[in-house]
Amino acid sequence: MHQPSIPQIESSDPEIAGLIHDEARRQAEKIRLIPSENYVSLAVLEACGTVLNNKYSEGYPGKRYYEGQQIIDPIETIAVERARALFGVDHANVQPYSGSPANLAVYLAFAQPGDTIMGMSLPMGGHLTHGAGVSITGKWFRAVHYGVRQDTGRVDLDEVRDVALRERPKILICGGTAIPRTIDFPAFAAIAAEAGAVCVADIAHIAGLIAGGAHPSPAGHVPVISTTTHKTLRGPRGAMLMTDAAHATAIDKAVFPGLQGGPHNHTTAGIAVALREASAPSFRDYAAAIVANAKALATALQARGYDLVSGGTDNHLLLVDLTSKGIGGKPAAKALDRAGIELNFNTVPFDPRRPFDPSGIRLGTPAITTRGLDESHMPALAGWIDEAITAAIKDDEATLDRVAAEVRGLLAAFPMPGWSAQP
Ligand code: DSN
């Protein structure tokens, strides 16, 4: 059953209530390895389901376009102050609806349509909003990209500098969605300064690691920081933009009125609650455990002959190239899902296959670490992954179902916030 209980939905809309319970059970019974996902606390869930949803608050605390902000203003101010304290930044805007609008606000603040922007290319580990051709950010701006070296799987900062000095982008973005290695924020900031670009760190994937001291912070090096709040940071679906003092006004104007209308106040409260949780000493242990689990899983997979892009991981994420195993990422991901192990198929750098049928799978440890799995569980997890992929190659559905049952058996001992076996 979903927790907290949902009796009103059960009585007014049993169809949707049933699906919510089913999703809670699904999340409870699967080993969830999608590196951008997590389990929020019950406190965050509660905040997101409150009457704060009912209020319009266009503007910022103390300067709104609607009356009745006596309660919303302090909630948003608390969220902003907690973000500033946790990340050590001059300014925070907690209103972006999610990561894509947050990044669009950055472009609106510091570039004009047709200007050059520069980020990591999507097939190399960047994000759609870093100028991919299919995205508004690639259609409305002239996007140039950097990637990783074929021999190391790592960003080549000499290449970044060469491209930046040649193309002179208005904005240089570092960060992405499939980067298993530490991002050198001071180096990107120095290249951006030399090229005359605004440096933007998209830390969506690693915000929780940074907050917990398990990855170096861009604060003090990079003037504009974009992040979602729901990945390693373990908050609600939302985003924040954080800046130094010089870039604060441009960002605020770009978010509202430039791009968005009223902020989602229930989400703002959820972000505030999550930021308080991330400030607790135990969150440092959580961040360290995410990385320890990822490294242990990497070692266990490599011992079974799996090729990891860049040869391992420094953070929460593993990118596995399945070429040598003779299976594509998509059939592997589908088989793993049937075996109770949820992840996503992903392109690998220099992938000869198409994006919807690529060579790799992407795994991460934020959610399983929230459940309480530790390094001692990673060899067994690697074994199940290997069994499922081998079974997929042989069309051995019985093995997939057996692994799923074993996964459920393990997870029964690791409760999930948001689901209870008891009604
Ligand atoms: N949601 C991001 C991820 O999965 O990395 C992409 O937008």
Side-chain angles (χ1 to χ4, degrees):
M1 307 290 281
H2 187 271
Q3 297 294 324
S5 59
I6 51 171
Q8 301 304 325
I9 313 177
E10 282 167 358
S11 84
S12 67
D13 194 337
E15 188 179 11
I16 288 295
L19 291 169
I20 291 171
H21 287 310
D22 288 349
E23 173 61 10
R25 173 185 287 277
R26 193 196 66 79
Q27 291 185 17
E29 292 185 345
K30 288 229 175 114
I31 289 185
R32 298 175 58 233
L33 294 176
I34 294 176
S36 48
E37 295 184 351
N38 212 325
Y39 297 96
V40 296
S41 68
L42 290 182
V44 169
L45 273 185
E46 282 180 6
C48 294
T50 58
V51 295
L52 302 176
N53 179 75
N54 298 343
K55 188 72 195 116
Y56 252 115
S57 309
E58 287 183 2
Y60 290 102
K63 192 179 175 199
R64 305 279 192 185
Y65 290 81
Y66 293 77
E67 295 312 309
Q69 309 297 338
Q70 294 86 350
I71 313 302
I72 299 300
D73 273 7
I75 289 173
E76 185 170 332
T77 301
I78 288 168
V80 166
E81 292 307 318
R82 287 180 182 171
R84 289 181 58 212
L86 183 62
F87 288 95
V89 291
D90 293 333
H91 179 71
N93 185 312
V94 297
Q95 295 193 4
Y97 300 141
S98 202
S100 297
N103 287 347
L104 207 48
V106 170
Y107 298 129
L108 181 62
F110 305 117
Q112 296 291 324
D115 278 351
T116 302
I117 61 167
M118 179 170 161
M120 194 173 197
S121 79
L122 182 61
M124 294 282 182
H127 188 254
L128 268 175
T129 58
H130 298 176
V134 293
S135 153
I136 185 173
T137 62
K139 292 179 189 291
W140 288 15
F141 300 96
R142 179 181 163 268
V144 296
H145 292 108
Y146 59 90
V148 296
R149 285 176 60 109
Q150 194 153 15
D151 56 343
T152 64
R154 296 177 187 240
V155 169
D156 178 350
L157 287 165
D158 291 333
E159 182 209 357
V160 176
R161 182 170 177 272
D162 288 348
V163 177
L165 294 182
R166 187 179 68 234
E167 303 290 347
R168 300 278 167 182
K170 286 278 174 46
I171 295 170
L172 171 58
I173 308 157
C174 51
T177 61
I179 304 173
R181 294 298 182 176
T182 300
I183 299 168
D184 189 340
F185 294 121
F188 274 99
I191 291 168
E194 198 179 351
V198 176
C199 193
V200 178
D202 184 338
I203 62 166
H205 265 256
I206 54 174
L209 302 185
I210 291 168
H215 188 291
S217 172
H221 303 286
V222 176
V224 179
I225 301 168
S226 172
T227 187
T228 52
T229 46
H230 47 271
K231 299 185 173 93
T232 49
L233 193 55
R234 213 163 57 179
R237 301 298 287 249
M240 305 192 295
L241 288 167
M242 299 180 280
T243 71
D244 61 11
H247 295 80
T249 302
I251 282 293
D252 280 355
K253 283 185 178 165
V255 173
F256 176 84
L259 187 66
Q260 296 188 172
H264 293 175
N265 297 313
H266 50 303
T267 302
T268 304
I271 290 172
V273 171
L275 290 170
R276 188 167 197 275
E277 292 174 355
S279 306
S282 58
F283 199 86
R284 296 186 77 81
D285 300 335
Y286 169 61
I290 291 173
V291 176
N293 279 344
K295 286 179 182 290
L297 185 56
T299 301
L301 285 170
Q302 285 172 316
R304 291 176 177 274
Y306 285 84
D307 295 329
L308 270 56
V309 172
S310 84
T313 181
D314 298 327
N315 54 32
H316 65 303
L317 184 147
L318 288 68
L319 193 54
V320 182
D321 185 342
L322 293 174
T323 306
S324 67
K325 294 289 181 183
I327 185 170
K330 190 172 184 179
K334 291 200 172 302
L336 283 158
D337 192 54
R338 174 153 177 179
I341 298 168
E342 180 188 0
L343 43 70
N344 66 278
F345 57 85
N346 217 94
T347 54
V348 296
F350 308 98
D351 204 328
R353 298 169 67 114
R354 292 171 297 121
F356 204 61
D357 184 23
S359 299
I361 50 176
R362 190 183 66 150
L363 300 67
T365 51
I368 57 170
T369 307
T370 296
R371 283 297 278 274
L373 271 63
D374 62 27
E375 291 163 85
S376 71
H377 299 105
M378 296 306 119
L381 176 52
W384 282 328
I385 291 171
D386 190 27
E387 272 195 276
I389 287 175
T390 305
I393 293 166
K394 297 180 184 161
D395 279 332
D396 174 4
E397 296 187 354
T399 293
L400 299 180
D401 292 342
R402 175 181 54 75
V403 171
E406 291 174 8
V407 164
R408 282 196 298 277
L410 172 75
L411 290 178
F414 295 92
M416 159 195 152
W419 188 77
S420 166
Q422 308 305 322

